[in-house]
Amino acid sequence: MNDTTDKPGLHKHSTTTLVIAALGVVFGDIGTSPIYTLKECFSPHSPHHVAATHANLLGVVSLVLWALIVLVCIKYLVFILRADNKGEGGVLSLMALASHGMSEALKRRAVIVLLGLFGAALLFGDGIITPAISVLSAIEGLKDGGLLGSPPVDAAAALLWDDQREWLIMGITMVILIALFSVQFLGTARMGRFFGPITGLWFVSLAALGVSHLIKGPEILAAFNPLHGWHFLTTGGHKSFVILGSVFLAVTGGEALYADMGHFGAGPIRRGWFSLVLPALALNYLGQGAMLMQQPDLAHAPFFQMAPSWATLPLVLLATAATVIASQALITGTYSLTLSAVQLGYLPRLSIRHTSEHARGQIYIPLVNWLLMLACLALVLAFRNSTNLAAAYGVAVTMTMLITTFLFYFAARHLWRWSLLKTLPLCLLFAAIEIAFLSANLVKFFDGGWFPLVVGVIIFTLMTTWATGRRLVRASMEKSSLSQEMLCDSLKRSPPISVPGTAIFMSSTSGRAPIALLHSLKHYRAIHERVIFMTLITEDEPWVPPSRRVEVERLAEGFWRVTGRFGFMQKPDVPRLLRQCSNQDLEVSAEKATFFLGREIIVPSPKPGMVRWREHLFAFASKLAQQPATYFQIPVGRVIELGQQVEI
């Protein structure tokens, strides 16, 4: 297989190609928000809504527009995209930047790492909700657009008819979700080229629908005046504040602009946003507002009511395609987030398959895929419609955005040396807006907002437990090991039987003699004529270039130390690493060497470390971890595993 770790792929294409490709990946989530945002603000079926009066429409649309301007245009496009971690973005990359250069002992660094991990954990919850609410809201267009007919006159029959429609919509949604997750193993390399044009057509349609109603009610343009939004918030009481939770739906997906920066670069993302996405979104929200000013009775489904009757079905089909694409982007984003967490040592090694030999980021993680699918299907069955799901949406994203603001502050202050006068007011502005949105979303906590928080807490607990457990395992093993130099001196004084060949001992701690070697000497009383100690290190940067990938050091006659370095977006490839050793006078073939791997059997104990339930969780997660030979791409037939029990 060709190497996929040296950042080939999309950056080689022209800016126009990158802009088109970014439309289908970066903007898919935020681009489908017009389907349900104003619906949740004004629909009588929404538990938190306001009447579609002239003043309320101006106020809510103004809040939507200025949320897009301040949080997306200014925060993400102007400032956050500057936090470029060797070409990569996302909360884990920003965490690495914010903690860069800080001492390991500093409590501030620990807080930064915990914030970054919790932000990443919350994004897993977002990855579950987005496919469910996006596809469900699109399929509901069949009902909202009148394509499923009119209800019977009899009240009892109408209630049964409505229930049957709901089950039909749920069934179609679940079939689409099952199909979407079932083809993930094919990868998105081939499908990706079609994503951009389809999403481009979607944004053009959004703009066209908006303009068709805007020309009939241009008075909605007054919503660009932020005073209308301020007046709505300050005079509407508690209900106006709660509606912020629905307004925030307009900017969900904004985090993807930063998370997907590594795939396309900051320039194409900015160009795509300002040239097409933002104008299309603004025109559509304005068009929905203009239509509701003239026909407030359409507030139950303003988006699909914008289209003429003949265009309803094509619009539903296009909306479904757009939401599937948005879901695909969240699914692949979850894969990338999982890969980063695994490489940084916060999740156990999972089976990760590269689905493209040329495009980086094209990976498939079976366990994550099927867990996501089951969770999405469970959400559809539990919440039944997009209005109920909207209550669960927003909490995770607002918390992640707030965490991003905090991490950006530390990165700006300690890495870029921005002055306090420059950094603090900017971050306080963003934080104040995000705290207001978060507070409004927390009002919906018992209506479903608890779900992403529960998912986030579970994932956060798993990540911190895994990281702490691995640290305790290393500490336990280091107590019974000695340095590689001391081992070489000892073997030189009392040499064991030498057998031909090359033995490669994988060591998790650089400079320490692997436990597998000590066990091998104890049992076989022999050693190979050439011994290589290999340690693989994951750096706090996404990509390590080939020039810094491998370091070779000769310890003694017949003993070598090899250190491989990978970024947290790269999957280790030991055979390729060994081929690079030839540049430093060490010729070794992975197909002819024998690899010795230590395998720890975790035994919970009363020793100080973690509480017992976390020790059992760590032991269970260890059993789920992929075999090291497979994960490091070592030829399976060349591997010998030596196990030992480790008490933590």
PDB file of all heavy atoms in Angstrom, residues 331-349:
ATOM      1  N   ILE A 331     -19.773  11.837  10.187  1.00  0.00           N
ATOM      2  CA  ILE A 331     -19.301  10.475  10.432  1.00  0.00           C
ATOM      3  C   ILE A 331     -17.788  10.394  10.204  1.00  0.00           C
ATOM      4  O   ILE A 331     -17.038   9.873  11.038  1.00  0.00           O
ATOM      5  CB  ILE A 331     -20.040   9.475   9.527  1.00  0.00           C
ATOM      6  CG1 ILE A 331     -21.521   9.405   9.922  1.00  0.00           C
ATOM      7  CG2 ILE A 331     -19.410   8.085   9.622  1.00  0.00           C
ATOM      8  CD1 ILE A 331     -22.379   8.669   8.921  1.00  0.00           C
ATOM      9  N   THR A 332     -17.326  10.905   9.061  1.00  0.00           N
ATOM     10  CA  THR A 332     -15.886  10.866   8.785  1.00  0.00           C
ATOM     11  C   THR A 332     -15.128  11.748   9.776  1.00  0.00           C
ATOM     12  O   THR A 332     -13.991  11.437  10.141  1.00  0.00           O
ATOM     13  CB  THR A 332     -15.593  11.318   7.347  1.00  0.00           C
ATOM     14  OG1 THR A 332     -16.194  12.609   7.114  1.00  0.00           O
ATOM     15  CG2 THR A 332     -16.163  10.342   6.343  1.00  0.00           C
ATOM     16  N   GLY A 333     -15.766  12.854  10.217  1.00  0.00           N
ATOM     17  CA  GLY A 333     -15.129  13.690  11.237  1.00  0.00           C
ATOM     18  C   GLY A 333     -14.960  12.942  12.551  1.00  0.00           C
ATOM     19  O   GLY A 333     -13.949  13.104  13.248  1.00  0.00           O
ATOM     20  N   THR A 334     -15.946  12.106  12.885  1.00  0.00           N
ATOM     21  CA  THR A 334     -15.841  11.290  14.098  1.00  0.00           C
ATOM     22  C   THR A 334     -14.719  10.279  13.967  1.00  0.00           C
ATOM     23  O   THR A 334     -13.994  10.003  14.929  1.00  0.00           O
ATOM     24  CB  THR A 334     -17.177  10.573  14.370  1.00  0.00           C
ATOM     25  OG1 THR A 334     -18.227  11.544  14.434  1.00  0.00           O
ATOM     26  CG2 THR A 334     -17.127   9.811  15.685  1.00  0.00           C
ATOM     27  N   TYR A 335     -14.549   9.709  12.762  1.00  0.00           N
ATOM     28  CA  TYR A 335     -13.422   8.800  12.534  1.00  0.00           C
ATOM     29  C   TYR A 335     -12.090   9.514  12.787  1.00  0.00           C
ATOM     30  O   TYR A 335     -11.203   8.975  13.458  1.00  0.00           O
ATOM     31  CB  TYR A 335     -13.430   8.281  11.089  1.00  0.00           C
ATOM     32  CG  TYR A 335     -14.588   7.390  10.718  1.00  0.00           C
ATOM     33  CD1 TYR A 335     -14.928   7.186   9.391  1.00  0.00           C
ATOM     34  CD2 TYR A 335     -15.345   6.735  11.682  1.00  0.00           C
ATOM     35  CE1 TYR A 335     -15.985   6.364   9.018  1.00  0.00           C
ATOM     36  CE2 TYR A 335     -16.405   5.917  11.327  1.00  0.00           C
ATOM     37  CZ  TYR A 335     -16.721   5.733   9.991  1.00  0.00           C
ATOM     38  OH  TYR A 335     -17.763   4.931   9.629  1.00  0.00           O
ATOM     39  N   SER A 336     -11.950  10.705  12.217  1.00  0.00           N
ATOM     40  CA  SER A 336     -10.696  11.455  12.373  1.00  0.00           C
ATOM     41  C   SER A 336     -10.445  11.803  13.834  1.00  0.00           C
ATOM     42  O   SER A 336      -9.306  11.732  14.316  1.00  0.00           O
ATOM     43  CB  SER A 336     -10.738  12.740  11.530  1.00  0.00           C
ATOM     44  OG  SER A 336     -10.853  12.438  10.159  1.00  0.00           O
ATOM     45  N   LEU A 337     -11.511  12.179  14.538  1.00  0.00           N
ATOM     46  CA  LEU A 337     -11.379  12.506  15.955  1.00  0.00           C
ATOM     47  C   LEU A 337     -10.941  11.275  16.750  1.00  0.00           C
ATOM     48  O   LEU A 337     -10.095  11.359  17.645  1.00  0.00           O
ATOM     49  CB  LEU A 337     -12.717  13.033  16.486  1.00  0.00           C
ATOM     50  CG  LEU A 337     -12.743  13.587  17.908  1.00  0.00           C
ATOM     51  CD1 LEU A 337     -11.854  14.806  18.034  1.00  0.00           C
ATOM     52  CD2 LEU A 337     -14.167  13.931  18.314  1.00  0.00           C
ATOM     53  N   THR A 338     -11.502  10.117  16.415  1.00  0.00           N
ATOM     54  CA  THR A 338     -11.119   8.873  17.086  1.00  0.00           C
ATOM     55  C   THR A 338      -9.663   8.538  16.824  1.00  0.00           C
ATOM     56  O   THR A 338      -8.929   8.141  17.745  1.00  0.00           O
ATOM     57  CB  THR A 338     -12.018   7.718  16.611  1.00  0.00           C
ATOM     58  OG1 THR A 338     -13.385   8.052  16.841  1.00  0.00           O
ATOM     59  CG2 THR A 338     -11.681   6.433  17.340  1.00  0.00           C
ATOM     60  N   LEU A 339      -9.235   8.688  15.565  1.00  0.00           N
ATOM     61  CA  LEU A 339      -7.834   8.422  15.229  1.00  0.00           C
ATOM     62  C   LEU A 339      -6.898   9.302  16.043  1.00  0.00           C
ATOM     63  O   LEU A 339      -5.883   8.831  16.585  1.00  0.00           O
ATOM     64  CB  LEU A 339      -7.605   8.643  13.726  1.00  0.00           C
ATOM     65  CG  LEU A 339      -6.153   8.555  13.244  1.00  0.00           C
ATOM     66  CD1 LEU A 339      -5.581   7.169  13.491  1.00  0.00           C
ATOM     67  CD2 LEU A 339      -6.058   8.912  11.752  1.00  0.00           C
ATOM     68  N   SER A 340      -7.219  10.594  16.149  1.00  0.00           N
ATOM     69  CA  SER A 340      -6.393  11.513  16.933  1.00  0.00           C
ATOM     70  C   SER A 340      -6.330  11.078  18.395  1.00  0.00           C
ATOM     71  O   SER A 340      -5.253  11.078  19.008  1.00  0.00           O
ATOM     72  CB  SER A 340      -6.947  12.942  16.840  1.00  0.00           C
ATOM     73  OG  SER A 340      -6.945  13.401  15.511  1.00  0.00           O
ATOM     74  N   ALA A 341      -7.489  10.704  18.967  1.00  0.00           N
ATOM     75  CA  ALA A 341      -7.523  10.296  20.369  1.00  0.00           C
ATOM     76  C   ALA A 341      -6.726   9.017  20.598  1.00  0.00           C
ATOM     77  O   ALA A 341      -6.038   8.874  21.615  1.00  0.00           O
ATOM     78  CB  ALA A 341      -8.971  10.105  20.819  1.00  0.00           C
ATOM     79  N   VAL A 342      -6.805   8.080  19.648  1.00  0.00           N
ATOM     80  CA  VAL A 342      -6.025   6.841  19.764  1.00  0.00           C
ATOM     81  C   VAL A 342      -4.532   7.144  19.719  1.00  0.00           C
ATOM     82  O   VAL A 342      -3.751   6.658  20.549  1.00  0.00           O
ATOM     83  CB  VAL A 342      -6.418   5.852  18.644  1.00  0.00           C
ATOM     84  CG1 VAL A 342      -5.428   4.686  18.585  1.00  0.00           C
ATOM     85  CG2 VAL A 342      -7.829   5.325  18.860  1.00  0.00           C
ATOM     86  N   GLN A 343      -4.120   7.966  18.761  1.00  0.00           N
ATOM     87  CA  GLN A 343      -2.708   8.273  18.605  1.00  0.00           C
ATOM     88  C   GLN A 343      -2.153   9.048  19.792  1.00  0.00           C
ATOM     89  O   GLN A 343      -0.991   8.883  20.160  1.00  0.00           O
ATOM     90  CB  GLN A 343      -2.480   9.067  17.315  1.00  0.00           C
ATOM     91  CG  GLN A 343      -2.709   8.263  16.056  1.00  0.00           C
ATOM     92  CD  GLN A 343      -1.689   7.154  15.910  1.00  0.00           C
ATOM     93  OE1 GLN A 343      -1.815   6.095  16.510  1.00  0.00           O
ATOM     94  NE2 GLN A 343      -0.658   7.386  15.141  1.00  0.00           N
ATOM     95  N   LEU A 344      -2.971   9.901  20.392  1.00  0.00           N
ATOM     96  CA  LEU A 344      -2.524  10.680  21.545  1.00  0.00           C
ATOM     97  C   LEU A 344      -2.577   9.872  22.846  1.00  0.00           C
ATOM     98  O   LEU A 344      -2.151  10.363  23.893  1.00  0.00           O
ATOM     99  CB  LEU A 344      -3.376  11.943  21.689  1.00  0.00           C
ATOM    100  CG  LEU A 344      -3.126  13.036  20.646  1.00  0.00           C
ATOM    101  CD1 LEU A 344      -4.197  14.113  20.741  1.00  0.00           C
ATOM    102  CD2 LEU A 344      -1.745  13.646  20.805  1.00  0.00           C
ATOM    103  N   GLY A 345      -3.096   8.648  22.775  1.00  0.00           N
ATOM    104  CA  GLY A 345      -3.112   7.789  23.949  1.00  0.00           C
ATOM    105  C   GLY A 345      -4.316   7.975  24.844  1.00  0.00           C
ATOM    106  O   GLY A 345      -4.267   7.612  26.028  1.00  0.00           O
ATOM    107  N   TYR A 346      -5.431   8.483  24.308  1.00  0.00           N
ATOM    108  CA  TYR A 346      -6.637   8.692  25.108  1.00  0.00           C
ATOM    109  C   TYR A 346      -7.737   7.674  24.810  1.00  0.00           C
ATOM    110  O   TYR A 346      -8.780   7.697  25.455  1.00  0.00           O
ATOM    111  CB  TYR A 346      -7.174  10.107  24.907  1.00  0.00           C
ATOM    112  CG  TYR A 346      -6.228  11.170  25.429  1.00  0.00           C
ATOM    113  CD1 TYR A 346      -5.567  12.032  24.567  1.00  0.00           C
ATOM    114  CD2 TYR A 346      -5.981  11.284  26.790  1.00  0.00           C
ATOM    115  CE1 TYR A 346      -4.684  12.993  25.046  1.00  0.00           C
ATOM    116  CE2 TYR A 346      -5.109  12.241  27.276  1.00  0.00           C
ATOM    117  CZ  TYR A 346      -4.458  13.092  26.398  1.00  0.00           C
ATOM    118  OH  TYR A 346      -3.585  14.030  26.877  1.00  0.00           O
ATOM    119  N   LEU A 347      -7.522   6.803  23.848  1.00  0.00           N
ATOM    120  CA  LEU A 347      -8.444   5.710  23.566  1.00  0.00           C
ATOM    121  C   LEU A 347      -7.618   4.478  23.212  1.00  0.00           C
ATOM    122  O   LEU A 347      -6.491   4.602  22.701  1.00  0.00           O
ATOM    123  CB  LEU A 347      -9.377   6.051  22.388  1.00  0.00           C
ATOM    124  CG  LEU A 347     -10.529   7.034  22.652  1.00  0.00           C
ATOM    125  CD1 LEU A 347     -11.284   7.309  21.359  1.00  0.00           C
ATOM    126  CD2 LEU A 347     -11.478   6.521  23.725  1.00  0.00           C
ATOM    127  N   PRO A 348      -8.140   3.284  23.465  1.00  0.00           N
ATOM    128  CA  PRO A 348      -7.391   2.074  23.087  1.00  0.00           C
ATOM    129  C   PRO A 348      -7.245   1.968  21.582  1.00  0.00           C
ATOM    130  O   PRO A 348      -8.020   2.550  20.815  1.00  0.00           O
ATOM    131  CB  PRO A 348      -8.260   0.936  23.655  1.00  0.00           C
ATOM    132  CG  PRO A 348      -9.619   1.524  23.833  1.00  0.00           C
ATOM    133  CD  PRO A 348      -9.407   2.973  24.140  1.00  0.00           C
ATOM    134  N   ARG A 349      -6.225   1.216  21.152  1.00  0.00           N
ATOM    135  CA  ARG A 349      -6.022   1.014  19.717  1.00  0.00           C
ATOM    136  C   ARG A 349      -7.221   0.284  19.121  1.00  0.00           C
ATOM    137  O   ARG A 349      -7.606  -0.784  19.589  1.00  0.00           O
ATOM    138  CB  ARG A 349      -4.745   0.196  19.468  1.00  0.00           C
ATOM    139  CG  ARG A 349      -3.461   0.911  19.822  1.00  0.00           C
ATOM    140  CD  ARG A 349      -2.256   0.076  19.421  1.00  0.00           C
ATOM    141  NE  ARG A 349      -2.213  -1.185  20.162  1.00  0.00           N
ATOM    142  CZ  ARG A 349      -1.504  -1.383  21.254  1.00  0.00           C
ATOM    143  NH1 ARG A 349      -0.767  -0.408  21.743  1.00  0.00           N
ATOM    144  NH2 ARG A 349      -1.509  -2.566  21.853  1.00  0.00           N
TER     145      ARG A 349
END
